[in-house]
Amino acid sequence: MTTEHRPVLRFEEFLRAMVELDRKDGLDSNGTPANPLAEAAVITEFQDEIQPADETTRAVSLWSVQS
């Protein structure tokens, strides 16, 4: 997976939130929140900081958030 980070915005806060989830065993083997509600909360809270790198995934992601 390729990621691109621009602008920084609150990316450090996002990383800290993910580390905290990891410390509480809240991440699965892929490094994503194991609890769907926690995942939704992270995506919602940091939607400006994290977005899919490829256009297809970005379009599906935007569609699902707006639906």
Side-chain angles (χ1 to χ4, degrees):
M1 173 189 292
T2 302
T3 62
E4 182 177 319
H5 310 286
R6 62 176 180 177
V8 173
L9 299 173
R10 296 174 43 225
F11 192 70
E12 182 179 353
E13 289 178 52
F14 164 71
L15 291 177
R16 289 181 187 277
M18 295 300 287
V19 167
E20 186 62 28
L21 276 173
D22 188 35
R23 286 184 180 146
K24 295 178 178 178
D25 292 326
L27 299 180
D28 63 18
S29 61
N30 294 319
T32 59
N35 180 322
L37 294 176
E39 183 174 20
V42 168
I43 290 170
T44 301
E45 180 66 25
F46 297 103
Q47 63 186 341
D48 292 333
E49 289 75 24
I50 55 171
Q51 296 178 4
D54 65 86
E55 294 298 322
T56 303
T57 307
R58 183 177 296 133
V60 170
S61 175
L62 287 173
W63 179 80
S64 65
V65 169
Q66 294 174 358
S67 295

